[in-house]
């Protein structure tokens, strides 16, 4: 396949600024003493990514809701262990380091001054924004190549070599990303595609997200079952038909987990149709508001990192 001239870079912003927060020393502070390690780290990541990957389009995808109600309604344990404060009328406030929370509004202001697109949708996670933007791109007659930057394995479900859609996983750091395509999914997880990865994740579960999975069916067994039956739907059809390819124990476990398996796919799979509005995602070569950007850089001690992003955008 010829390399596409258009490239869309989708950044899982919270994943990256959490990584920056823990990766950059908290001694990095603004002139007034406010920690800005996450802000500076994120800006440096953006500069590195734009320089290295040369996207023509870029979106910072945002968690307007870190624990959407529709997922909690389906599986109440979803991210429940990460709730710091119960907030009436919501699914709760996320546990977040005290010195990170004040940095998030600074990130918002700097991105706006730069003119870099930032998209969130009420009631949805950044994963859903990414999934929706990927679905829209895939549906085009001539889609751009898509690269998703994240530290979240859940987004491996979006991998699609035909577009292509790749996930660049931050396990080894922003300068040494693990490129996840269908070949890697097959090699590392023994599943052939992004949708098959999502089916495996439903069966396996994920304690870090409060998803129990099917007791007794781990990653290896889940992959074997998907290989045999093609998909989660095929596995459940085999269960209901008493297919002899399932052991008695496997069938029993799948039967006992029937309620979970009915609702879990909608929790694990990212939404392909979140109400994301129209957005100008073209990579800006000139900043949107130079005066505000200079003022923010001076106030928060971000001049060097802001300059790196501005220089990277100008080269793009």
């Amino acid at each position: 396949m010829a390399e596409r001239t258009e490239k869309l870079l989708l950044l899982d912003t919270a994943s990256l600024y959490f990584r920056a927060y823990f990766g950059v020393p908290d001694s990095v502070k603004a002139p007034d003493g406010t920690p800005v390690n996450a802000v500076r780290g994120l800006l440096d990541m953006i500069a590195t990514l734009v320089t290295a990957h040369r996207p023509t389009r870029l979106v910072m995808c945002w968690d307007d809701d870190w624990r959407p109600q529709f997922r909690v309604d389906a599986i109440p344990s979803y991210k429940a262990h990460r709730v710091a404060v119960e907030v009436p009328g919501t699914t709760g406030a996320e546990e977040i380091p005290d010195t990170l929370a004040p940095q998030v509004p600074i990130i918002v202001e700097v991105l706006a001054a730069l003119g870099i697109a930032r998209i969130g949708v009420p009631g949805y996670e950044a994963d859903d924004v990414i999934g929706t933007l990927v679905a829209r791109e895939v549906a085009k007659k001539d889609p751009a190549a898509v690269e998703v930057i994240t530290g979240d394995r859940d987004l491996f479900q979006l991998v699609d070599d035909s577009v292509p859609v790749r996930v660049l996983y931050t396990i080894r750091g922003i300068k040494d990303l693990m490129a996840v395509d269908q070949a890697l999914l097959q090699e590392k997880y023994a599943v052939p595609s992004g949708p098959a990865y999502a089916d495996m994740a439903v069966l396996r579960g994920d304690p870090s997200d409060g998803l129990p999975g099917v007791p007794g069916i781990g990653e290896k067994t889940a992959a074997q079952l998907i290989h045999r039956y093609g998909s989660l739907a095929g596995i459940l059809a085999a269960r209901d038909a008493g297919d002899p390819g399932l052991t008695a124990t496997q069938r029993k476990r799948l039967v006992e987990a029937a309620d979970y398996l009915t609702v879990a796919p909608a929790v694990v799979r990212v939404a392909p149709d979140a109400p994301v509005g129209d957005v100008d995602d073209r990579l800006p070569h000139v900043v949107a508001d130079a005066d505000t950007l200079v003022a923010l850089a001076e106030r928060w001690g971000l001049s060097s990192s802001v300059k790196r992003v501005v220089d990277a955008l100008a080269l793009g």
Side-chain angles (χ1 to χ4, degrees), residues 99-116:
T99 53
L100 173 56
Q103 299 187 56
V104 177
I106 302 172
I107 291 169
V108 172
E109 290 184 306
V110 173
L111 291 176
L114 285 165
I116 293 175

Side-chain angles (χ1 to χ4, degrees), residues 153-214:
R153 292 189 302 168
D154 291 344
L155 289 168
F156 291 2
Q157 65 184 275
L158 297 174
V159 166
D160 183 347
D161 287 359
S162 67
V163 177
V165 179
R166 297 194 308 166
V167 171
L168 303 181
Y169 188 51
T170 60
I171 189 170
R172 292 192 294 263
I174 204 71
K175 293 183 179 179
D176 186 20
L177 297 163
M178 183 173 76
V180 182
D181 56 12
Q182 288 179 220
L184 188 137
L185 290 180
Q186 183 64 54
E187 175 188 348
K188 191 171 179 65
Y189 299 101
V191 295
S193 67
Y197 182 89
D199 287 349
M200 182 194 69
V202 169
L203 291 163
R204 176 196 65 199
D206 186 349
S208 68
D209 278 342
L211 299 175
V214 178

Side-chain angles (χ1 to χ4, degrees), residues 49-65:
L49 290 166
V50 169
T51 301
H53 297 274
R54 295 297 181 91
T56 53
R57 296 155 58 200
L58 173 69
V59 179
M60 308 297 293
C61 301
W62 205 260
D63 282 316
D64 269 16
D65 192 337

Side-chain angles (χ1 to χ4, degrees), residues 210-277:
L211 299 175
V214 178
I217 295 185
E219 191 169 280
K220 183 177 179 180
T221 301
Q224 290 171 343
L225 292 175
I226 290 166
H227 177 74
R228 182 177 301 148
Y229 296 108
S231 65
L232 178 60
I235 294 168
L236 298 183
R239 174 200 65 184
D240 296 342
D243 190 289
L246 291 172
T247 68
T249 299
Q250 288 170 346
R251 184 172 185 279
K252 179 174 183 292
R253 287 169 173 164
L254 291 167
V255 168
E256 290 174 346
D259 290 345
Y260 164 78
L261 290 169
T262 298
V263 297
V267 176
V268 171
R269 293 170 186 156
V270 299
D273 55 358
V276 176

